[in-house]
Amino acid sequence: MNPQAQILLLPRNYESIDEHYLYDNTVYTINKVLNQAGINSAYLDDKPIQVLELRNDNWFLPVLYISYNVLIENKEVYEVALMAIKEYIIKSSPFTRGEDNTVELKVIVEKSEDKTTKSIEYNGSIDGLSDLKDTILRIANE
């Protein structure tokens, strides 16, 4: 793991012992979007990557891992990340109403200093990404 990363981008099979990680095809774009928004994001480690190409109107996003330390030191990071992703999807969907696109996202939040984690799975409209920020903070403080 990259200790400097504020948000880690996890593959779908982050818990497996496969020799390759399987990321959704949006992983490179989302990494770039987050970095342009001033958020240092990184891949889990240097294990070889395979990209899963899903052809659909949905946006399949990589798993976002947010540590407790990031939430304590920089509470805005996850909100900025969600807004940057939302804006990118809306801008990159010129032939459809971006806000009508469906987004599939899993966020893993480290709950406290004891390093327990909880995941949030979101499958809904792009506008709903704004509401995740409150859920993330609530879970981190449990």
Side-chain angles (χ1 to χ4, degrees), residues 5 13 22 24 38 42 55 70-71 77 83 92 94 99 101 111 117 122 131 134 139:
N13 61 340
L22 183 61
D24 290 304
R55 298 186 187 265
V70 167
L71 288 171
V77 75
M83 292 305 100
S92 65
E99 60 272 3
N101 286 328
K111 287 175 42 175
T117 60
Y122 178 76
D131 300 330
D134 297 329
I139 286 174

Side-chain angles (χ1 to χ4, degrees), residues 79-115:
E79 185 174 0
V80 171
L82 293 172
M83 292 305 100
I85 292 169
K86 178 181 174 179
E87 289 174 17
Y88 173 77
I89 292 172
I90 290 171
K91 287 179 184 176
S92 65
S93 302
F95 302 110
T96 63
R97 293 187 57 216
E99 60 272 3
D100 290 338
N101 286 328
T102 299
V103 175
E104 292 187 26
L105 172 65
K106 182 175 182 179
V107 179
I108 298 176
V109 180
E110 194 174 281
K111 287 175 42 175
S112 63
E113 291 176 343
D114 67 3
K115 306 275 187 215

